[in-house]
Amino acid sequence: MSPVTDNLKGFSVTFRHLFRKPVTQQFPEYKRPVYPRFRGRHRLHRHENGLEKCVGCSLCAAACPADCIRVVAAENTPEERYSPGERYARIYEINMSRCIFCGYCELACPFDAITLGHDYELAEMSRDALVYTKQMLLEPGPEARRTPVAPVDPYDIPAQEDGPA
Amino acid sequence: MATVETDTVTLSINDREVTVPKGMSLVEAAAEAGIEVPVFCYEPRLGAAVGACRMCLVEIEGIPKLQTACTTPVTDGMVVHSHSDRAREGQDAVLEFLLINHPLDCPICDKGGECPLQDLTFRYGPGSTRMTLPKRTHTKPVPISPLIKLDRERCILCYRCTRFSEDVSGDLQLVTEHRGANSIITTFEGRPYDGEFSGNVTELCPVGALTSISYRFRGRPWEIQNIPTVCGECPIGCNTYATIREGQVARVLSRNNPAVDDGWLCDRGRYTFPSLESEQRITTPLIRGGRGLEPVDGSTALDHIADRLRAAVERFGPGSVAIIASGDQTSEEAHLWARIQEQALGGGPIVCGPEGGAGWGELAAHSATIADLDDADLIVVAGATDLVHRAPILELRIRRAVDRGARVVTIGAGATRLDTLHAAEHVSAAPGTTHAALLAASQGVALKGLSDRSVILWNGRMSAPVATVLAHVAHASGCRVLPTPLAANELGCQAAGLGTHTPAEALEAVEQGRVKAVVLLGADPVGGWPGGDRWRGLMERAFFALQVSPFQTGSSGWATTIVPSPMPLEKEGTMTNIEGRVQRLRAAVPPPPGVLDGIVLAAELGRRLGLDMPDQPPAVFADMAGSRAAFAGLTWAGIGERGVRPEPASGSGQAPPAPHVAEGEPEGTIVVGYRQLMSGPTVEGAPALHFQRRSGIEISHDDAQQIGVATGDRVEVSFAGASLTGAALVQRRLRRGVVRLATAVPYVGPGELRAAPEETADA
């Protein structure tokens, strides 16, 4: 084999490809479908009555290997009810710049409140904007219905009396 | 033949031979052998085991049925299997039964992640349930006090909480109602659980049934850090964990140190942490100028203070600056301030606490440890008020000693909680003459049997005559004494040199015109010390009055410069507790922005005054160990998690001088005003605790009859130039002529009691 034939052979491959249809997909115009079990941006779900499924138990935060979930729980009151039960997530934040989309949070959730969806266009101009708040993650739905709940009858506590000064 | 050992037995647990003392329960014997028997209700600190939860079932050869290991004492030659098929079957069945009615709301439950029931369900139990019927339901959660909520669905009826209430704290407020499967835990007559030790039940509860309201939904075990530190609220120095979530203290737990607190913690120590974020806190240095107190930055304030102190010494000569400390400072802060006073300001008076601590040195040779109460066969508690207000956790130890068979003799005005113990004997003494009564009792029959197995707890103000009496009695009988200081680190401050004068001596120096400037370290002499008017006079006339305090106090109005200081949960350092144990305080959270660390403040000030001072806690401790005899030989690293108690000076061994005690009983009404446990700025900053405040004016039965009032009627007490009206609380066992009430300023002295006119309808 001479160097000349080797080179010609190589160039022929290049030239052949010049006349083929390109495989490039025009991304913003054309979005390739993802597989059904693709793990993208998280969603927080609601019950049918509009209450949040998340109770703020922090198990997702415990499972998260990237330590990107922050949950601060608080107590539901009869006036402000967000979830069934006593507890709800007052703050629920996912730092998307840290998330590795492993889906452990979804596995850990005892109420199927969090799932990973199919969105993957998450680029932002600043890192701060990548911290997703509960409002951003919560699926759009009917505004949580303020389920009226009777207050606990504090029968174990008599009215406080002011003692003498 | 070897003699048969009678006080130990040898048995086999899971084919492992173990030799343990006679009378031990099987659970403990198994633990000795390194074998875990699962338990819920078993807790040795609660007294005898009850076998309520049945979780500890084990198989014992020769006994046809499974036995509860916690209630079965070991016997010689016993053959026990805790992991045999039958034992496992029994344990699994118990867990399945416990979970029949236990709601599976672990994601919501605060105990989730640190729950013994959760943990044991993972390791034992069938893993699934056959229960298909609906679970028992209750109203939940029910607040049983402003501090604690009860979720009856989660309760597994282990009776730990009721046993604590009955056997340990003795308040008898948590009880069980109804029977069998319908049993519920409730408070006695549905009243709020009002006891100084109520928070302990939240820690004892093996499920999430009793939870602290302040920690509700604040964090999960994997989101928190537990910082081992020491409570800075009283001189016991109970060991605690401060739980930190996102830079804030979320709760305070006890950290069992058997030598100090035995794993208990009072509600003041547990629930005053919200005062860290109290609105009353000072967060920036303030200098009084033309328009009142104006905020400045830290270095400006330090420059100003150094300049004023230097000017005071130049203008009025050395010794013209008085330091008035509260005794809540760490020993390191105390050492640095003492050095400033000694080396830069010419050695003016230093006062530590309103009681001023004369006479402590005399008692060093006789000092008892807290653990001595466990071995004592006679405990003498001398003082006019309840022990709980000065040294709360000691009450639990005394109760346990009584259960063990110790005698308790109280000397004082009577009608304290310790007087209600069945083993208590009482020697009545007029307030102010308690030490005389103690001396007389020790020579008479009342304290017969005072020996080296006795402890005298002096629950009151320490002074030179008291110390002489205590030293004399201790020397004569060989008993040990445990006087209670008022402030958390009073002993450490004094050992570090902060405390050379009593308040009376300092006031004398002030009124002779020797003191022209004053530094208040956490102290509030105007608002909270006896002789407030005289202290106010000093501050009004002072050339310079500096206040270093976390909170605005009654003295702030007269301070010309105010510098904020951190609170105990924000400090690194050491504190010396009631028995002389040096314990480490660790900063759980940083102080608020604008608040200088106490050590840095003192060190920076010292540098501005020309002293070479270290500003890191270990270096300060080393400096202190090098120059203060009480800390000699101690190292920062050597303090460890449990603290160290240096051996107290042995004393000369010579008999102390015979005390001279004034004869005669005081005439007329004596008013005892005491600082109650739930008082002070930290309690002010924790509103949930306020329901535990005691109000009411305790008067004796005879006095009540004389002025014609009953409990609940309004009475008026005048003392120290003021008068107070409140509801009378007639105490049958209170000494005649004694009126006892909680006041902001401690007071013992003459007063007057009369029935107050009925309140008009303006309230």
Side-chain angles (χ1 to χ4, degrees):
Chain A
M1 292 291 234
S2 77
V4 178
T5 51
D6 280 356
N7 276 339
L8 285 177
K9 211 172 178 179
F11 283 127
S12 73
V13 174
T14 310
F15 280 108
R16 241 187 354 254
H17 276 274
L18 276 178
F19 303 104
R20 286 203 181 161
K21 224 179 143 195
V23 293
T24 314
Q25 290 168 353
Q26 295 304 314
F27 161 64
E29 293 80 29
Y30 171 74
K31 286 175 184 157
R32 213 171 119 185
V34 296
Y35 288 102
R37 288 165 67 185
F38 179 83
R39 297 189 300 264
R41 180 189 188 278
H42 309 71
R43 289 201 174 285
L44 286 173
H45 298 281
R46 291 181 193 272
H47 287 287
E48 279 172 10
N49 62 4
L51 290 175
E52 294 158 17
K53 283 188 173 175
C54 175
V55 298
C57 70
S58 289
L59 279 169
C60 47
C64 182
D67 199 12
C68 67
I69 305 182
R70 173 176 177 237
V71 183
V72 177
E75 187 161 6
N76 284 311
T77 59
E79 298 80 37
E80 288 279 311
R81 174 163 281 277
Y82 296 91
S83 70
E86 296 155 61
R87 180 180 182 129
Y88 76 98
R90 183 169 64 80
I91 296 173
Y92 193 103
E93 287 175 357
I94 300 184
N95 187 342
M96 286 295 176
S97 63
R98 281 179 142 198
C99 178
I100 57 168
F101 300 96
C102 64
Y104 281 12
C105 46
E106 189 178 329
L107 290 177
C109 183
F111 293 106
D112 295 335
I114 188 167
T115 58
L116 272 66
H118 290 171
D119 306 340
Y120 49 82
E121 295 161 286
L122 305 175
E124 292 286 352
M125 295 302 285
S126 79
R127 285 180 195 169
D128 289 353
L130 280 164
V131 177
Y132 282 24
T133 62
K134 190 171 112 179
Q135 278 317 310
M136 295 159 80
L137 294 165
L138 204 58
E139 72 176 7
E143 192 45 38
R145 201 176 50 177
R146 302 277 185 257
T147 313
V149 173
V152 174
D153 178 21
Y155 62 87
D156 280 301
I157 299 282
Q160 287 280 308
E161 286 176 0
D162 285 333
Chain B
M1 287 260 323
T3 50
V4 178
E5 195 74 42
T6 51
D7 47 359
T8 62
V9 292
T10 303
L11 69 160
S12 142
I13 306 175
N14 294 359
D15 303 325
R16 232 181 265 183
E17 289 279 310
V18 56
T19 304
V20 294
K22 213 173 189 175
M24 199 181 227
S25 72
L26 263 179
V27 170
E28 283 170 23
E32 289 278 297
I35 295 162
E36 191 215 21
V37 174
V39 289
F40 289 117
C41 70
Y42 177 72
E43 170 57 70
R45 292 179 297 152
L46 294 176
V50 291
C53 71
R54 319 305 290 175
M55 190 62 216
C56 58
L57 290 178
V58 292
E59 185 182 359
I60 302 171
E61 283 183 15
I63 301 181
K65 289 191 174 181
L66 297 178
Q67 298 295 312
T68 48
C70 68
T71 54
T72 311
V74 290
T75 55
D76 221 4
M78 213 179 217
V79 181
V80 183
H81 302 284
S82 74
H83 284 67
S84 66
D85 289 344
R86 279 190 65 211
R88 283 305 282 237
E89 201 185 333
Q91 290 159 358
D92 287 0
V94 168
L95 254 182
E96 197 178 354
F97 272 127
L98 286 178
L99 291 174
I100 277 182
N101 276 322
H102 189 84
L104 297 180
D105 62 350
C106 305
I108 289 171
C109 178
D110 260 331
K111 203 82 173 182
E114 49 186 12
C115 173
L117 181 60
Q118 226 179 14
D119 293 348
L120 291 185
T121 307
F122 272 106
R123 285 154 54 205
Y124 299 85
S128 63
T129 179
R130 291 171 283 173
M131 169 85 171
T132 50
L133 301 170
K135 297 193 176 201
R136 171 194 66 184
T137 54
H138 284 294
T139 312
K140 69 182 232 174
V142 180
I144 58 164
S145 82
L147 299 169
I148 300 169
K149 276 189 177 175
L150 166 63
D151 187 322
R152 292 188 176 123
E153 290 179 7
R154 294 179 189 150
C155 176
I156 58 168
L157 292 171
C158 67
Y159 302 110
R160 275 189 179 198
C161 51
T162 53
R163 283 161 68 204
F164 175 82
S165 177
E166 193 175 325
D167 297 340
V168 180
S169 74
D171 52 36
L172 300 168
Q173 294 198 44
L174 278 183
V175 292
T176 322
E177 256 179 24
H178 308 310
R179 290 198 200 182
N182 294 326
S183 305
I184 52 167
I185 303 295
T186 186
T187 52
F188 182 68
E189 292 187 337
R191 287 184 292 207
Y193 187 8
D194 178 3
E196 287 81 0
F197 308 104
S198 68
N200 289 305
V201 297
T202 64
E203 238 175 293
L204 283 170
C205 185
V207 294
L210 288 161
T211 50
S212 285
I213 289 178
S214 54
Y215 189 62
R216 247 176 116 65
F217 309 145
R218 284 286 295 269
R220 289 283 183 202
W222 52 87
E223 296 170 328
I224 56 172
Q225 286 162 284
N226 284 333
I227 313 285
T229 182
V230 169
C231 176
E233 294 290 323
C234 88
I236 305 291
C238 295
N239 292 203
T240 60
Y241 279 117
T243 294
I244 312 304
R245 167 98 205 262
E246 297 190 343
Q248 284 184 315
V249 178
R251 68 175 169 188
V252 173
L253 295 178
S254 77
R255 176 164 62 93
N256 193 348
N257 185 347
V260 179
D261 49 50
D262 210 21
W264 308 128
L265 186 61
C266 75
D267 284 1
R268 177 165 169 171
R270 190 183 296 272
Y271 293 119
T272 48
F273 68 87
S275 61
L276 289 170
E277 277 126 44
S278 157
E279 286 184 2
Q280 299 300 313
R281 280 199 76 171
I282 314 168
T283 53
T284 176
L286 302 161
I287 295 180
R288 198 174 290 279
R291 286 168 308 204
L293 289 166
E294 289 160 22
V296 293
D297 66 84
S299 70
T300 313
L302 279 166
D303 288 340
H304 174 76
I305 296 164
D307 176 60
R308 294 286 85 192
L309 290 177
R310 217 180 289 118
V313 175
E314 274 166 22
R315 203 182 293 184
F316 307 107
S320 57
V321 181
I323 293 183
I324 316 292
S326 62
D328 294 324
Q329 289 70 33
T330 62
S331 302
E332 286 72 18
E333 289 167 16
H335 169 67
L336 293 186
W337 280 103
R339 267 190 66 187
I340 290 176
Q341 176 73 305
E342 291 156 7
Q343 296 170 8
L345 304 178
I350 308 176
V351 181
C352 181
E355 300 187 344
W360 287 92
E362 259 181 274
L363 297 171
H366 306 290
S367 73
T369 63
I370 295 173
D372 282 345
L373 293 172
D374 292 343
D375 309 325
D377 52 14
L378 170 60
I379 299 171
V380 183
V381 183
T385 57
D386 255 331
L387 180 63
V388 78
H389 300 296
R390 282 177 88 103
I393 224 72
L394 290 188
E395 186 184 311
L396 303 186
R397 274 210 194 238
I398 294 174
R399 281 179 189 278
R400 196 171 63 186
V402 169
D403 286 346
R404 201 199 58 227
R407 264 173 78 204
V408 171
V409 178
T410 60
I411 301 179
T416 65
R417 290 212 306 225
L418 290 174
D419 288 315
T420 61
L421 293 173
H422 65 87
E425 297 154 41
H426 178 61
V427 175
S428 184
T433 62
T434 312
H435 59 294
L438 172 68
L439 183 64
S442 73
Q443 292 157 349
V445 287
L447 291 185
K448 210 168 166 59
L450 205 61
S451 70
D452 59 349
R453 281 170 53 80
S454 314
V455 176
I456 299 177
L457 242 166
W458 177 258
N459 168 35
R461 180 167 174 267
M462 175 58 71
S463 62
V466 171
T468 315
V469 168
L470 288 175
H472 179 80
V473 173
H475 187 84
S477 65
C479 72
R480 281 154 295 173
V481 293
L482 193 59
T484 49
L486 188 66
N489 192 29
E490 204 167 314
L491 300 187
C493 283
Q494 281 172 18
L498 199 74
T500 55
H501 289 55
T502 63
E505 288 165 354
L507 276 172
E508 202 176 309
V510 167
E511 278 153 19
Q512 289 168 355
R514 277 185 276 144
V515 171
K516 297 290 183 188
V518 60
V519 176
L520 303 182
L521 293 182
D524 177 21
V526 177
W529 286 26
D533 290 347
R534 295 168 74 191
W535 292 110
R536 199 179 66 207
L538 160 66
M539 295 200 57
E540 275 170 352
R541 289 192 305 273
F543 166 73
F544 175 62
L546 166 68
Q547 186 191 24
V548 183
S549 165
F551 294 100
Q552 296 271 5
T553 65
S555 305
S556 303
W558 288 272
T560 54
T561 303
I562 298 178
V563 180
S565 69
M567 289 174 60
L569 283 168
E570 300 163 346
K571 288 191 210 179
E572 288 281 337
T574 64
M575 283 199 174
T576 304
N577 80 348
I578 180 170
E579 56 170 3
R581 181 179 295 270
V582 179
Q583 304 191 100
R584 266 289 298 282
L585 209 61
R586 286 177 181 79
V589 287
V595 178
L596 270 181
D597 181 67
I599 290 177
V600 172
L601 172 74
E604 286 292 322
L605 188 62
R607 282 176 198 163
R608 279 166 169 77
L609 293 170
L611 300 176
D612 178 29
M613 281 188 168
D615 63 359
Q616 291 299 313
V620 181
F621 190 82
D623 187 41
M624 185 165 72
S627 59
R628 310 276 179 196
F631 294 95
L634 297 182
T635 60
W636 181 256
I639 298 170
E641 298 268 292
R642 297 280 166 98
V644 285
R645 181 172 183 267
E647 209 46 52
S650 55
S652 58
Q654 287 172 353
H660 296 284
V661 176
E663 293 291 324
E665 298 273 294
E667 295 284 319
T669 304
I670 305 171
V671 176
V672 179
Y674 62 94
R675 268 193 202 171
Q676 63 173 329
L677 179 66
M678 297 299 170
S679 68
T682 53
V683 178
E684 287 301 323
L689 268 176
H690 292 185
F691 79 105
Q692 287 200 8
R693 281 191 178 155
R694 294 200 198 166
S695 59
I697 297 170
E698 289 173 80
I699 58 176
S700 71
H701 187 65
D702 290 343
D703 293 333
Q705 283 195 326
Q706 201 179 334
I707 62 169
V709 293
T711 294
D713 291 348
R714 298 191 75 75
V715 289
E716 190 181 352
V717 192
S718 341
F719 59 95
S723 95
L724 250 162
T725 311
L729 181 62
V730 179
Q731 294 276 25
R732 197 165 279 277
R733 290 172 183 226
L734 191 66
R735 186 186 167 90
R736 181 179 190 156
V738 175
V739 176
R740 193 164 58 189
L741 72 165
T743 52
V745 183
Y747 175 83
V748 176
E752 259 184 77
L753 171 75
R754 60 186 159 277
E758 272 307 302
E759 211 179 355
T760 45
D762 59 349

